[in-house]
Amino acid sequence: VQLVESGGGTVQIGGSLRLSCAASGTRLGDSDIGWFRVVPGKEREAVTCIARSHGTTYYGDSVKGRFTVSEDSARNMLYLEMDGLTPGDTAMYYCAAGGFRGCYGMNYWGKGSLVTVSS
């Protein structure tokens, strides 16, 4: 199983970025999937999860109304549209899949894509 993130980079405050996650070896539509982020010195944070097991899509409080998750089942891709970016969004973003407990217990992880929001 391989998850490969792309689309990260440096953006100014208030800008937008779209992260993509290409999956191989597993069908994203068969499990819970999501995006997580890590800021150095802090715990991993669930940004958003498509929790098919719970019949819901979860967004972290800090990104609600600004970030949107979507998927393309035909291409086996996961996306994260990020708008209104702030310095607090600066982090390494990871795509995850293969879970069956919402945002917990993801079995597959990408290597991450760095997002930097600068003033």
Side-chain angles (χ1 to χ4, degrees):
V1 176
Q2 192 172 22
L3 303 178
V4 179
E5 302 93 340
S6 61
T10 300
V11 63
Q12 290 189 330
I13 293 174
S16 299
L17 278 176
R18 186 193 196 205
L19 299 182
S20 299
C21 174
S24 59
T26 186
R27 289 168 51 103
L28 293 179
D30 289 346
S31 69
D32 296 342
I33 55 179
W35 291 95
F36 297 75
R37 66 186 182 185
V38 176
V39 175
K42 294 187 177 181
E43 293 187 357
R44 185 174 62 201
E45 174 189 6
V47 175
T48 178
C49 298
I50 298 177
R52 303 180 218 284
S53 59
H54 296 175
T56 188
T57 298
Y58 164 86
Y59 287 95
D61 288 340
S62 62
V63 306
K64 282 181 182 176
R66 300 188 299 121
F67 289 14
T68 304
V69 64
S70 62
E71 59 180 326
D72 185 331
S73 298
R75 296 185 177 185
N76 211 22
M77 296 282 293
L78 182 67
Y79 302 100
L80 181 65
E81 185 72 40
M82 304 182 291
D83 298 316
L85 286 162
T86 72
D89 297 315
T90 294
M92 185 71 82
Y93 285 74
Y94 297 88
C95 170
F100 297 95
R101 296 186 292 129
C103 290
Y104 301 96
M106 297 292 184
N107 288 307
Y108 311 121
W109 294 85
K111 293 184 177 180
S113 183
L114 181 62
V115 172
T116 302
V117 183
S118 63
S119 58

